[in-house]
Amino acid sequence: MDPQMLNTMMAQLGISPEDLQAYQDTMGAVGIPETSTSPPQFHPGMSEAELRVAIPRYKAWLEEDRKILPQRARYVSRQTLLSFHNRVRQARWSDGLPQGEVSTRMTISGFPKHSSIVPLERLERICFSQMLVRKVHLGSYLLCRSIAPSSSVQLLVEDPEGTTHYLTIYNFPTTFQCSLKYLDDLLPVGTIFAIREPTFKAPTTGDYPIVRVDSPSDIILVSPGHSVLKGVAWRTHDPSSKILAMSTVDSCRDRGNAFFKASHWLPAALMYSRGLAADPEATVLLSNRAEVYLRLGFWSGAIADARRVRTNSDAPEALRNKAVFREAKAEYARGNYKTAEDLFLQWQSVRPDDEEVKGWISRARKRQAEQETGQYDWETLFNQSQSDHHLDVAEFRGPIEVQQVSRRGGGRGIVAVQDIEIGQLLVAKPFHSVYERDLHPNEIMLSVDLITSKMNTRTQSALLAGVMQKLLGNPELHGLVFDLYAGPDSSPPSSYPPVISPDVTPVDPSQASIDIDVARLDAIISFNGFSPSVLEPISCRSKSRPEEGKPSGLYLLPSLFNHACQSNAVWTCVGDVMVIRATKRIILGEEITIPYTSAHGNPYEERRAILRRFSIDECGCSLCQDDRKDDESAHKMRDELLAKRKSSRLTDASTAQLLSLEQQFAATYSPSRGPCKPRLADIQHAIAETLRKPGSTASIPNAIEYEKKALESLGFIVLGKDAMQQSESWDGTKLPIDTAQISTASVFDIPALCMLRLAHDYLRLSDTSGAIGWLKTAQWLVATWVGGDKMFFMRVMAPVLEEWKLKRLAASVVLSDATISDTIDCYSTHEGFQRLYSDMARYFHSIGGNPQLRCPSKAPTLYHVSLYEGGTSTGISCSGGAAPADEEDASTAPKRMPESACSPACAALLFAWFGEDLFRTDISGAPELEPAAEAE
Ligand SMILES: C[S@@+](CC[C@H](N)C(=O)[O-])C[C@H]1O[C@@H](n2cnc3c(N)ncnc32)[C@H](O)[C@@H]1O
């Protein structure tokens, strides 16, 4: 046919001559064969059982798909792809989804993913016409550019020959759950990519094959003038001409500053970098880029840029000074607090009155003290963690070391380098952590992990992207993450910790300076990830969090601890700060273990299944050894006995039914095993609960007996049981429990609640000494397991103390060791507050203090209460902060009084004593008092 006529006919059908050519180029190519089955689709809310079916089916489908030979891609016209793409974008277009609308995206992790380690210069350029679907194109790179605004991280790109396909880039920094508007700034139409060793994949959903990039280090954002563009002629019109035109220092700074204003940090960094390509000495761009790197968490990049400005004697002085401040903040974030302090002081020398820097200096000093002493203000941290999970603390490391440990995957473990008493071993910050509240509420990111055969939570998916981002901005930390254990299918890691260069590396946002092996990182996160659930005030009605709401974190040194269900150490998180504490005396050279999962609520077989996901075949701890003494039929019998009660709560059964259940259950245990039987504890606790009847104390002694049995079944050794039951014979000093070691068969709140329940029982029997004994035991447990002092205990356990009416007793127990001075300062001019304080004064009187109320005039602050212990400031001091300037209506003040405005000690005690009332005290309508006599 006459080519002219053919073109005219095709044009009427919407097919351009380029499309036609591309089609002719692929003539003879075999279409993408369908597999015999299509992959199973995953959807939110799939049950464990559905997943158990779907995941093996997916793996089988993957196996089948792998057997199909690579093929040329079926021809699809540019027009078709563009109109499909535009429809998808239209559907997604919104800057934050409308309320109630939920968008779901799905990824699969844990299958082989290629990441290139070959530098771009050593790769050959390839075009789509030479690429095959289902093939990793080793030794090649694809040069392509985007031809349409992106719809999520899926872009429509063309190669220089004008062939169009989809490009999907996973884990590109800052793109996890970002808006389309952001993507338009980050990857505008015309962005040129060089993709190292690209993988062309058959479609798993939808109709079109895609070039899928999992590792951000495989992507190079090609700027004008890059050597790969030399001699490249694009067949189609150049959509990037507008972008290329803006490469002067001034235009890049202006554009970068506009992105900065919109909080679009990475687009700003790219724009400043483009300007720096035009003039590498443009200090203003370096200085600005240092600031955006700080916002991105690219500390090394920020230090490298700021340092170049600071040490450039030609740079304006103001810019050099600013650079000092930026470098100091980045050093602080890297944990180099002394260097940071010195730099802050340098900044302060030119701005002596700068309040902000004063705050930074004080923080840097506090961090150094934490590093040296291991002393933390846990109450303040606990209070802060309730509103912001990401806490600012320094790390602390006790006498422990990573050593070779045989028969433990990875071959390493943590060992004591001296004898260690019960107490704090390690305080660790996360390398990266993600909480639900950090994520967009309307987006569900489904990720199925083929290693663990589980649906990852949203936070787990976000963790992978976040770790990559941190590595890209802090490349020298690569070894710290990549030398973690990556499972039996990956090459073994080297010794740990690796040597980290103290030098910082300049960061180029368009090209990673390290190779990120994404399949290995997937595995590292599967084998080492924690769920750092934030410690919250504990109530007897606390519910365990559903799996999908759980946070995810990667911690470095904590990842080197091996597992034991009955371990000699435990971990907890205050905010995202992990605290690992020894739960018994550990001798020099002994391995230190932590539980990866709790035995309470996870019977032996379930525990084994969980541990198998970590490639742990058999745990050798005392509890697992005991559990292996019971034969399989015994474990089954227990399941059956409990299954009968599954539909209702244990405590809904009658005492008689539970007693019979306990007897049948107890008979399933081998006589040769030890007393720790976590499943039995629930039944015994339920029996105790049914024996607690309102209005009658007759069966309380029995309840006490069963609660103690429950504690023993949780692995605690209850001492002098009879003596404690008639507590007159208790000497009031020794705790009613063997404190030489803590059972780690459950998390701490279960036994702590049993202990407080016992305190409550004794209180009901008017046995104050018994109640105090168990209160102190609960406080010992919290202090040993989590840390913190008595005030911290009061704060953490406040709801349950309130529910079981133990608040007043606990407050007096907590204060019983304190010497209370005789002054309560009351700076409030409001009658309501003064009433509150006189109440407090009466209370302190009643517990042995002899405070006087002072009401100075000219109240500098509202809510000022102070109570000092032994002349130091360690007692109560609540200064609440000055009333805001616009605060005219004092009647609203109490409701607005934030807990965090109180000192932690004060908050704990005030709250323990007054509870909710503290914040509800109604002073509306109370007359403003005349100032009392002038103070001093
Ligand atoms: C988080 S890592 C612990 C550190 C690891 N041993 C290393 O060298 O990096 C978890 C892996 O350690 C191994 N591991 C931990 N506890 C173990 C145990 N009790 N028995 C056998 N292997 C264990 C398993 O291979 C598990 O997947």
Side-chain angles (χ1 to χ4, degrees):
M1 190 189 279
D2 170 24
Q4 191 65 41
M5 195 196 278
L6 182 67
N7 281 350
T8 315
M9 275 172 64
M10 290 299 145
Q12 282 164 358
L13 294 170
I15 299 172
S16 69
E18 288 81 18
D19 286 345
L20 186 61
Q21 183 61 46
Y23 177 69
Q24 283 163 347
D25 288 349
T26 57
M27 286 288 271
V30 187
I32 305 158
E34 304 300 329
T35 43
S36 48
T37 51
S38 51
Q41 302 296 308
F42 296 93
H43 56 83
M46 275 177 98
S47 67
E48 285 274 327
E50 286 172 317
L51 279 175
R52 268 200 295 275
V53 175
I55 290 178
R57 268 191 57 206
Y58 193 92
K59 285 185 186 171
W61 173 84
L62 210 59
E63 270 311 303
E64 279 300 302
D65 194 66
R66 252 185 231 138
K67 288 183 200 151
I68 300 172
L69 290 176
Q71 309 282 347
R72 296 271 293 275
R74 183 189 288 156
Y75 173 74
V76 184
S77 82
R78 181 188 183 98
Q79 245 4 83
T80 308
L81 283 171
L82 268 172
S83 62
F84 173 75
H85 181 76
N86 286 338
R87 278 202 309 277
V88 174
R89 178 169 161 104
Q90 280 309 314
R92 277 194 60 88
W93 176 256
S94 56
D95 196 10
L97 292 162
Q99 205 62 38
E101 197 175 311
V102 175
S103 136
T104 308
R105 286 192 286 154
M106 208 201 77
T107 60
I108 311 275
S109 65
F111 64 83
K113 288 174 190 161
H114 179 75
S115 312
S116 181
I117 50 167
V118 186
L120 188 63
E121 312 79 76
R122 300 227 318 264
L123 298 173
E124 291 282 327
R125 182 158 72 80
I126 196 174
C127 281
F128 281 122
S129 59
Q130 300 156 281
M131 288 172 69
L132 299 179
V133 176
R134 295 190 178 79
K135 181 176 166 167
V136 180
H137 297 83
L138 300 178
S140 309
Y141 74 90
L142 172 72
L143 187 70
C144 57
R145 67 183 177 196
S146 73
I147 58 166
S150 45
S151 65
S152 75
V153 286
Q154 195 150 49
L155 301 138
L156 210 49
V157 294
E158 64 172 4
D159 65 7
E161 290 178 347
T163 310
T164 306
H165 278 295
Y166 265 119
L167 166 70
T168 304
I169 49 178
Y170 285 103
N171 304 314
F172 196 78
T174 70
T175 58
F176 190 84
Q177 296 197 334
C178 70
S179 67
L180 290 183
K181 199 163 179 292
Y182 178 80
L183 278 175
D184 290 347
D185 282 348
L186 182 66
L187 304 170
V189 175
T191 302
I192 303 177
F193 304 88
I195 312 290
R196 296 194 293 160
E197 303 192 313
T199 307
F200 207 9
K201 290 193 62 107
T204 45
T205 49
D207 295 328
Y208 309 118
I210 51 166
V211 173
R212 171 174 171 143
V213 188
D214 284 283
S215 173
S217 61
D218 286 354
I219 302 172
I220 290 113
L221 298 181
V222 176
S223 50
H226 196 291
S227 59
V228 289
L229 294 178
K230 228 177 245 158
V232 173
W234 298 81
R235 194 157 160 179
T236 61
H237 166 70
D238 178 0
S240 63
S241 52
K242 253 177 32 208
I243 302 171
L244 299 189
M246 303 187 302
S247 290
T248 66
V249 168
D250 287 347
S251 63
C252 288
R253 187 200 54 214
D254 292 348
R255 191 94 183 96
N257 290 353
F259 288 146
F260 185 89
K261 271 206 190 101
S263 306
H264 289 185
W265 315 126
L266 193 55
L270 283 163
M271 204 43 75
Y272 296 140
S273 303
R274 182 166 289 181
L276 281 163
D279 175 6
E281 296 309 316
T283 41
V284 68
L285 294 182
L286 275 174
S287 169
N288 288 2
R289 197 172 66 174
E291 182 60 39
V292 281
Y293 279 166
L294 280 177
R295 315 289 175 117
L296 285 164
F298 288 12
W299 319 125
S300 306
I303 293 172
D305 284 358
R307 206 174 276 171
R308 270 182 65 196
V309 179
R310 174 168 69 84
T311 54
N312 182 344
S313 50
D314 293 336
E317 198 182 337
L319 214 56
R320 287 207 314 264
N321 287 335
K322 249 191 208 172
V324 170
F325 201 32
R326 288 175 187 169
E327 188 179 341
K329 284 198 231 172
E331 290 287 9
Y332 181 95
R334 284 194 351 145
N336 297 331
Y337 301 114
K338 179 72 187 104
T339 314
E341 185 194 343
D342 292 344
L343 287 164
F344 284 130
L345 286 169
Q346 196 176 323
W347 165 261
Q348 197 184 36
S349 64
V350 285
R351 299 212 176 184
D353 300 325
D354 185 334
E355 286 302 319
E356 192 188 349
V357 78
K358 277 186 203 157
W360 278 104
I361 291 168
S362 141
R363 280 164 70 185
R365 288 180 179 154
K366 265 193 203 149
R367 299 294 87 82
Q368 289 172 71
E370 288 165 353
Q371 263 173 338
E372 281 156 26
T373 63
Q375 303 280 316
Y376 294 81
D377 182 351
W378 289 119
E379 294 143 57
T380 306
L381 290 170
F382 178 77
N383 288 337
Q384 283 168 2
S385 71
Q386 303 308 298
S387 51
D388 183 1
H389 302 333
H390 305 283
L391 297 179
D392 178 19
V393 292
E395 299 201 320
F396 170 79
R397 184 174 160 170
I400 56 172
E401 208 174 81
V402 182
Q403 288 184 11
Q404 294 304 114
V405 177
S406 64
R407 282 181 284 111
R408 298 284 178 262
R412 299 129 348 147
I414 299 283
V415 171
V417 291
Q418 67 179 53
D419 290 352
I420 294 173
E421 299 302 328
I422 289 181
Q424 187 173 284
L425 295 174
L426 185 67
V427 176
K429 290 202 293 195
F431 183 80
H432 188 66
S433 64
V434 187
Y435 291 81
E436 268 295 311
R437 63 168 69 165
D438 300 332
L439 301 177
H440 195 303
N442 286 9
E443 277 215 6
I444 293 179
M445 183 78 184
L446 281 183
S447 156
V448 179
D449 187 337
L450 299 181
I451 301 175
T452 58
S453 294
K454 280 191 80 179
M455 184 88 82
N456 280 339
T457 59
R458 291 183 348 131
T459 60
Q460 275 165 330
S461 310
L463 180 63
L464 182 78
V467 168
M468 287 202 203
Q469 179 165 328
K470 184 153 180 193
L471 286 173
L472 291 171
N474 303 275
E476 74 285 354
L477 304 182
H478 181 267
L480 282 175
V481 172
F482 276 86
D483 281 346
L484 293 178
Y485 180 57
D489 299 334
S490 306
S491 56
S494 354
S495 59
Y496 204 90
V499 180
I500 299 295
S501 160
D503 296 337
V504 288
T505 325
V507 170
D508 176 354
S510 60
Q511 177 166 9
S513 62
I514 42 165
D515 296 325
I516 296 187
D517 178 345
V518 69
R520 191 177 178 98
L521 191 56
D522 255 356
I524 285 173
I525 288 184
S526 286
F527 281 91
N528 299 275
F530 282 86
S531 178
S533 296
V534 174
L535 182 66
E536 286 172 350
I538 291 168
S539 142
C540 59
R541 288 184 284 273
S542 294
K543 291 241 165 20
S544 66
R545 216 176 264 275
E547 195 65 28
E548 64 270 18
K550 288 191 172 162
S552 298
L554 183 68
Y555 292 76
L556 299 178
L557 202 50
S559 290
L560 273 293
F561 284 82
N562 289 311
H563 161 86
C565 309
Q566 270 295 14
S567 54
N568 53 11
V570 282
W571 65 276
T572 353
C573 282
V574 175
D576 67 351
V577 176
M578 183 178 294
V579 189
I580 297 186
R581 298 179 59 89
T583 48
K584 60 187 248 196
R585 192 160 196 274
I586 300 171
I587 55 165
L588 164 73
E590 196 181 332
E591 191 191 349
I592 307 175
T593 52
I594 55 172
Y596 291 0
T597 181
S598 163
H600 180 261
N602 289 312
Y604 184 64
E605 280 307 327
E606 281 179 31
R607 237 155 55 227
R608 280 194 79 186
I610 295 171
L611 293 177
R612 271 198 214 106
R613 287 190 208 134
F614 290 95
S615 305
I616 301 173
D617 288 332
E618 206 160 75
C619 171
C621 81
S622 58
L623 178 63
C624 287
Q625 284 179 29
D626 273 358
D627 277 344
R628 283 193 285 273
K629 286 179 190 159
D630 301 332
D631 55 33
E632 216 172 289
S633 60
H635 290 283
K636 261 206 189 115
M637 170 72 89
R638 281 174 224 158
D639 291 342
E640 283 167 19
L641 284 169
L642 282 181
K644 284 187 199 154
R645 302 231 62 88
K646 228 176 193 152
S647 54
S648 57
R649 287 182 316 153
L650 273 176
T651 42
D652 293 339
S654 69
T655 314
Q657 285 169 326
L658 288 170
L659 284 171
S660 146
L661 181 64
E662 192 219 5
Q663 232 177 27
Q664 294 174 67
F665 217 82
T668 64
Y669 290 99
S670 155
S672 64
R673 65 175 287 154
C676 184
K677 299 162 189 162
R679 287 181 100 179
L680 186 59
D682 289 344
I683 302 172
Q684 290 161 331
H685 173 72
I687 295 173
E689 284 296 293
T690 58
L691 289 164
R692 292 174 179 122
K693 301 206 168 62
S696 159
T697 54
S699 51
I700 294 291
N702 277 347
I704 289 176
E705 188 190 330
Y706 274 93
E707 201 65 77
K708 286 178 184 170
K709 281 188 181 176
L711 268 178
E712 286 181 322
S713 297
L714 288 173
F716 289 83
I717 298 169
V718 179
L719 300 175
K721 273 193 286 182
D722 297 339
M724 271 302 290
Q725 240 147 281
Q726 286 120 39
S727 57
E728 309 86 75
S729 54
W730 180 57
D731 70 3
T733 53
K734 202 161 174 262
L735 294 183
I737 212 145
D738 179 1
T739 53
Q741 80 175 63
I742 277 184
S743 167
T744 62
S746 64
V747 281
F748 82 95
D749 53 348
I750 309 275
L753 287 176
C754 291
M755 291 165 185
L756 289 178
R757 199 60 165 142
L758 282 167
H760 180 234
D761 288 337
Y762 281 108
L763 207 58
R764 285 188 70 191
L765 295 177
S766 306
D767 183 344
T768 318
S769 134
I772 290 176
W774 284 104
L775 255 171
K776 286 191 167 181
T777 312
Q779 195 255 314
W780 159 83
L781 181 71
V782 173
T784 312
W785 194 302
V786 189
D789 58 12
K790 293 174 178 178
M791 295 298 196
F792 176 76
F793 165 76
M794 294 292 289
R795 180 72 181 93
V796 173
M797 302 308 278
V800 72
L801 292 173
E802 170 96 16
E803 283 155 29
W804 289 339
K805 302 187 173 41
L806 290 164
K807 199 175 57 168
R808 287 174 190 225
L809 182 68
S812 56
V813 169
V814 162
L815 281 180
S816 64
D817 302 338
T819 324
I820 299 161
S821 82
D822 56 3
T823 314
I824 290 182
D825 288 343
C826 171
Y827 288 137
S828 170
T829 56
H830 226 285
E831 190 190 31
F833 281 110
Q834 300 206 348
R835 274 205 304 268
L836 194 67
Y837 300 148
S838 53
D839 255 7
M840 282 189 68
R842 266 201 303 281
Y843 165 62
F844 293 127
H845 245 315
S846 73
I847 58 166
N850 185 26
Q852 292 161 11
L853 203 62
R854 298 193 312 182
C855 300
S857 65
K858 296 210 186 89
T861 55
L862 284 174
Y863 341 118
H864 185 113
V865 182
S866 55
L867 180 75
Y868 301 107
E869 178 190 298
T872 70
S873 59
T874 53
I876 300 171
S877 161
C878 165
S879 53
D886 59 347
E887 175 64 303
E888 294 303 337
D889 180 8
S891 67
T892 59
K895 290 172 210 119
R896 293 164 71 264
M897 176 180 178
E899 266 175 71
S900 57
C902 306
S903 85
C906 183
L909 196 112
L910 288 180
F911 196 72
W913 176 247
F914 292 102
E916 293 291 302
D917 301 347
L918 177 65
F919 306 103
R920 284 205 207 107
T921 302
D922 181 14
I923 60 160
S924 52
E928 190 80 11
L929 287 185
E930 279 303 306
E934 193 86 23
E936 276 98 50

